[in-house]
Amino acid sequence: DAKTTQPPSMDCAEGRAANLPCNHSTISGNEYVYWYRQIHSQGPQYIIHGLKNNETNEMASLIITEDRKSSTLILPHATLRDTAVYYCIVRVGNSGYALNFGKGTSLLVTP
Amino acid sequence: DTAVSQTPKYLVTQMGNDKSIKCEQNLGHDTMYWYKQDSKKFLKIMFSYNNKELIINETVPNRFSPKSPDKAHLNLHINSLELGDSAVYFCASSQGVGDRTGELFFGEGSRLTVL
């Protein structure tokens, strides 16, 4: 699977948009971009994923650059409960491939 | 109802003992996983089963043996526990077909402490 690079930590004010970047310059054509988060001591939680097109769901938006070498997860109106470690993962879309978690970005949402 | 449930949530035991952690999912998924999260918070895949068949087996000591009696259950048995086995173990499941195979549902974790 392609490697990803994320900033180790970020801050965001409550109510503002949180934009979390991820670089995956070696991504191949059949690899999806997945985002997960882990709130302290809980199991990781799936947020969103995409292949080429931008995606949006009730939790977040995923913007993937045209060359697919980077992406941004957007939490439109961050709340204190969004404080968590966010993981960007690229993976082939097949159950025979593991989802490998890196170090992620620790997002702190402040009042 | 909890989608992916693990028992026990906490387990404290002595070195050399044998212990098991159980996992059950009620999502109808056909793929289940075990992950280990160590004290440095790195989350690493250990095993994956698809329809009761082992499909992923990372470099894990033979003391760890997963068992999948059916699609809804994946248990983890650990023999001869060592201090380094202390970690939080997460079970997860996914539907193993289509482009949503990476959408994993995780349990709340089982914190194992080996003394």
Side-chain angles (χ1 to χ4, degrees):
Chain A
D1 290 338
K3 299 288 186 189
T4 61
T5 303
Q6 299 177 251
S9 63
M10 293 181 65
D11 292 346
C12 177
E14 189 178 19
R16 305 296 294 269
N19 298 298
L20 293 94
C22 180
N23 284 323
H24 31 79
S25 58
T26 60
I27 193 169
S28 57
N30 61 349
E31 287 183 311
Y32 290 77
V33 180
Y34 288 88
W35 282 85
Y36 279 75
R37 73 180 182 183
Q38 187 174 24
I39 297 170
H40 179 65
S41 298
Q42 297 181 19
Q45 177 189 23
Y46 165 82
I47 301 173
I48 200 168
H49 78 281
L51 183 62
K52 296 180 182 178
N53 300 322
N54 297 337
E55 302 287 344
T56 295
N57 62 21
E58 64 278 4
M59 290 183 67
S61 294
L62 173 61
I63 307 299
I64 303 174
T65 58
E66 194 170 341
D67 63 8
R68 303 214 317 130
K69 292 184 177 183
S70 66
S71 61
T72 301
L73 179 75
I74 301 173
L75 308 178
H77 305 286
T79 70
L80 299 180
R81 289 180 297 178
D82 291 322
T83 292
V85 177
Y86 287 77
Y87 298 97
C88 168
I89 306 161
V90 292
R91 175 187 175 273
V92 175
N94 182 299
S95 65
Y97 293 85
L99 209 63
N100 291 311
F101 290 76
K103 298 180 181 179
T105 295
S106 180
L107 175 68
L108 175 64
V109 181
T110 56
Chain B
D1 284 343
T2 304
V4 180
S5 59
Q6 302 177 222
T7 54
K9 283 187 168 42
Y10 300 95
L11 187 54
V12 180
T13 188
Q14 300 286 332
M15 274 198 321
N17 286 349
D18 303 338
K19 291 294 179 185
S20 293
I21 307 172
K22 295 184 177 181
C23 179
E24 176 181 5
Q25 54 95 3
N26 62 5
L27 298 167
H29 290 165
D30 60 3
T31 305
M32 296 186 71
Y33 311 78
W34 276 110
Y35 278 82
K36 177 182 180 181
Q37 188 166 42
D38 59 22
S39 57
K40 295 183 179 179
K41 303 297 185 183
F42 290 122
L43 196 59
K44 296 180 181 177
I45 180 73
M46 299 175 70
F47 304 100
S48 174
Y49 272 72
N50 177 262
N51 284 315
K52 302 192 298 175
E53 297 294 326
L54 181 67
I55 57 170
I56 295 173
N57 184 359
E58 294 296 311
T59 305
V60 176
N62 291 335
R63 299 182 294 104
F64 291 79
S65 52
K67 286 187 172 52
S68 182
D70 55 56
K71 285 197 315 181
H73 296 84
L74 181 62
N75 304 323
L76 184 65
H77 188 76
I78 315 171
N79 290 327
S80 304
L81 279 158
E82 301 177 356
L83 294 177
D85 298 332
S86 295
V88 181
Y89 292 85
F90 288 100
C91 176
S93 73
S94 69
Q95 188 56 28
V97 293
D99 69 351
R100 300 188 68 172
T101 60
E103 186 176 339
L104 270 58
F105 290 78
F106 281 82
E108 288 302 306
S110 296
R111 181 176 294 275
L112 171 65
T113 303
V114 182
L115 303 176

